Amino acid sequence: MEKKPIQNHQDLKVYQMAFDAAMKIFEISKKFNVEERYSLTDQIRRSSRSVCANLAEAWRKRRYEAAFVAKLNDCEAEAAETQTWIEFAVKCNYMDVESGRELYRIYNKILGSLVNMITNPSPWLMKR
């Protein structure tokens, strides 16, 4: 079976993982306490979505290694922030422990992929 070439950011496995995780967070966060609407709920949704948005931007900045890596660094920071919000959601009993563990594991995979792209950006850059 031949691998399809990556045409856009949505073809990236890391993007797909991040998007799916952000959607899981959205669904789970619908049940968060209403008093958290403008704090925890907003923050966890924003940071999880930001991973995807920054990946899309990074993909469009592949002409320049420094710009590409800088955007990937933003992705990495947002993914780590999301993990922190997951911890708070579990500790505040807004998210069950198993869901929290599963999401945390997914974000560890996302972080691993991002770090690999950051430390070895050459295969991802546009050829001139």
Side-chain angles (χ1 to χ4, degrees):
M1 181 176 219
E2 192 175 318
K3 256 184 156 177
K4 281 182 17 182
I6 295 172
Q7 300 288 321
N8 59 55
H9 65 277
Q10 293 160 318
D11 295 336
L12 294 167
K13 185 73 177 159
V14 65
Y15 177 87
Q16 294 165 7
M17 279 192 299
F19 191 90
D20 290 345
M23 292 307 299
K24 285 178 186 169
I25 285 171
F26 175 72
E27 288 303 322
I28 291 169
S29 68
K30 285 180 180 179
K31 297 177 181 115
F32 286 7
N33 193 315
V34 73
E35 71 188 28
E36 292 288 357
R37 179 173 292 139
Y38 301 109
S39 51
L40 181 59
T41 305
D42 181 58
Q43 291 293 344
I44 196 168
R45 288 178 179 177
R46 183 203 52 75
S47 64
S48 65
R49 292 170 179 167
S50 188
V51 177
C52 300
N54 280 304
L55 266 169
E57 284 188 58
W59 188 253
R60 290 293 172 195
K61 293 187 174 197
R62 291 172 299 129
R63 284 179 195 84
Y64 310 103
E65 182 175 341
F68 177 64
V69 169
K71 271 293 156 193
L72 291 176
N73 281 319
D74 292 344
C75 293
E76 182 185 4
E78 294 292 342
E81 180 183 338
T82 301
Q83 286 184 313
T84 301
W85 294 124
I86 290 167
E87 288 182 79
F88 276 109
V90 170
K91 287 288 187 186
C92 293
N93 295 314
Y94 298 139
M95 183 184 296
D96 67 82
V97 172
E98 194 47 49
S99 295
R101 284 183 181 145
E102 179 59 25
L103 283 166
Y104 206 92
R105 277 192 292 269
I106 292 167
Y107 276 96
N108 275 339
K109 289 180 186 177
I110 291 166
L111 284 162
S113 295
L114 291 169
V115 169
N116 285 336
M117 291 173 80
I118 290 165
T119 57
N120 186 24
S122 299
W124 305 102
L125 299 174
M126 292 178 84
K127 309 296 184 240
R128 293 187 182 187

